[in-house]
Amino acid sequence: MPYRGIYAVCDAKNEYAEIIEHSNCYSGAAWSLYHYAKAPLILKARSTGNMIRYFMKTGTSNLELKPSVAAAGIESVIVQGDEVEITYAGLGGGGVGATRCRALADGVLSYRISESGGERCAKGTVVVPRRDRVLIGIDDTDSKDIGATWTLTHNIAKELDCQEAVYLSHALVQLFPVPEKTQNCMSTVLEFGCVDEKAKSRLVDSFKKALEKYSASRETGLVVLSDFYAKGLYSYSNRCRTERVSKADTLRCAEENNVEVLLDGNGVIGALASLPWFGRPEESIVPGTEIKPMSMEKTN
């Protein structure tokens, strides 16, 4: 039962990575989440639907595998140019997951695996493309009569999803209700993992064209940021969730944080506020919830 996909998103210095695994069997992935979280390199582990996300340091570690308690884990994550080598190890059934289930996932470039199953301790290394995180923020694509930003953006993202620019997550972001809102006053952030600048450029160009074609509003906002954290936008985003923010403040903040503004209607205010909420769809919908910096220390 292979995983649907395994993706490695890295920071600019290749010091940290987020290994994102798209599961075909959630119960098996939940088992992995519990055991893998104990591995030394993993700083935080969580699930978003059937995506399991491991935020971790790159490098190697020594796994101390113990049946039933810490039966599997990620031993190393090594960045080699435009590729990432991920080494898994596991006991018994965890060894099958560490080898064949991941080796046969879509997008894996190559692999080395040992025999697995029964009472064996097995180990497997998969090689996947190194990816940069590309965040697309959108707001105000609907009107009082038709449309919904969250559905339009998801449909476009699904159409553009490919191995070079993988569609990783979609989050709705609750904003402070302003009189200009259509109804619920929410923006959307999409997260992609792109293998290179060419893939990013093709993705962004295609997305903008589709949005211009299908948006029902003249005030659409569209922004793009290539960044591992988007932490420079935390303060701005928190403001937008608790008070009215001016368009002038928005454009100034975008410039200060190297955010590309591709469509600058009034929706740009909410579009920019959405960016740091990538991969947090359960938190982003709660009014007033404050986004907090990602911890660089192990949290479990």
Side-chain angles (χ1 to χ4, degrees):
M1 187 185 299
Y3 275 67
R4 295 188 196 179
I6 298 175
Y7 314 111
V9 178
C10 301
D11 75 333
K13 296 181 179 180
N14 293 327
E15 294 176 347
Y16 295 93
E18 190 164 24
I19 305 303
I20 304 173
E21 300 185 335
H22 195 176
S23 171
N24 261 320
C25 175
Y26 181 73
S27 61
W31 184 93
S32 295
L33 177 63
Y34 171 74
H35 289 272
Y36 282 29
K38 301 173 184 179
L41 292 177
I42 293 179
L43 304 177
K44 184 175 182 179
R46 60 195 175 95
S47 65
T48 304
N50 59 357
M51 291 279 203
I52 310 297
R53 307 176 72 119
Y54 302 104
F55 173 61
M56 58 193 304
K57 294 179 180 179
T58 58
T60 61
S61 65
N62 293 317
L63 291 180
E64 296 183 9
L65 300 181
K66 299 177 182 178
S68 304
V69 179
I74 297 177
E75 184 176 273
S76 67
V77 173
I78 306 296
V79 182
Q80 303 270 18
D82 58 0
E83 296 179 349
V84 180
E85 291 189 357
I86 310 167
T87 297
Y88 302 85
L91 303 175
V96 177
T99 55
R100 296 188 63 81
C101 291
R102 288 175 170 83
L104 301 178
D106 284 347
V108 171
L109 302 175
S110 63
Y111 61 86
R112 304 184 301 275
I113 60 175
S114 67
E115 292 294 324
S116 60
E119 63 178 10
R120 292 185 180 93
C121 175
K123 185 178 292 189
T125 297
V126 300
V127 179
V128 298
R130 181 199 176 279
R131 298 178 186 272
D132 288 314
R133 199 183 322 271
V134 176
L135 305 173
I136 301 178
I138 316 97
D139 196 14
D140 203 343
T141 67
D142 50 6
S143 70
K144 295 291 185 181
D145 300 311
I146 59 172
T149 296
W150 74 274
T151 54
L152 173 60
T153 55
H154 175 68
N155 290 340
I156 295 173
K158 288 291 289 182
E159 285 297 315
L160 299 179
D161 181 28
C162 63
Q163 280 299 326
E164 292 75 27
V166 172
Y167 177 28
L168 295 174
S169 74
H170 173 289
L172 284 69
V173 181
Q174 181 64 62
L175 306 170
F176 179 75
V178 295
E180 297 87 346
K181 67 184 177 68
T182 305
Q183 188 61 269
N184 293 316
C185 204
M186 303 188 78
S187 58
T188 300
V189 58
L190 305 173
E191 176 193 13
F192 287 84
C194 294
V195 297
D196 54 29
E197 193 63 30
K198 182 179 179 181
K200 175 199 167 183
S201 179
R202 186 165 54 244
L203 166 70
V204 171
D205 289 347
S206 298
F207 195 95
K208 181 183 178 184
K209 289 177 182 177
L211 201 61
E212 289 177 320
K213 179 178 181 179
Y214 293 110
S215 175
S217 170
R218 295 182 178 180
E219 294 295 340
T220 300
L222 172 63
V223 298
V224 177
L225 175 64
S226 294
D227 191 71
F228 191 67
Y229 308 101
K231 59 186 176 182
L233 297 170
Y234 284 13
S235 177
Y236 169 84
S237 183
N238 288 333
R239 280 185 61 205
C240 286
R241 288 162 66 81
T242 56
E243 63 182 80
R244 185 185 183 95
V245 175
S246 72
K247 187 175 178 180
D249 281 355
T250 297
L251 296 177
R252 182 165 50 250
C253 181
E255 183 177 4
E256 291 171 352
N257 287 279
N258 299 313
V259 177
E260 300 174 68
V261 177
L262 301 183
L263 295 175
D264 64 355
N266 284 335
V268 72
I269 300 170
L272 186 66
S274 74
L275 293 179
W277 290 96
F278 68 90
R280 304 190 190 196
E282 295 177 350
E283 303 168 58
S284 61
I285 57 174
V286 181
T289 300
E290 185 175 318
I291 191 167
K292 297 180 180 178
M294 189 180 297
S295 174
M296 295 293 111
E297 302 297 328
K298 195 169 180 64
T299 57
N300 48 41

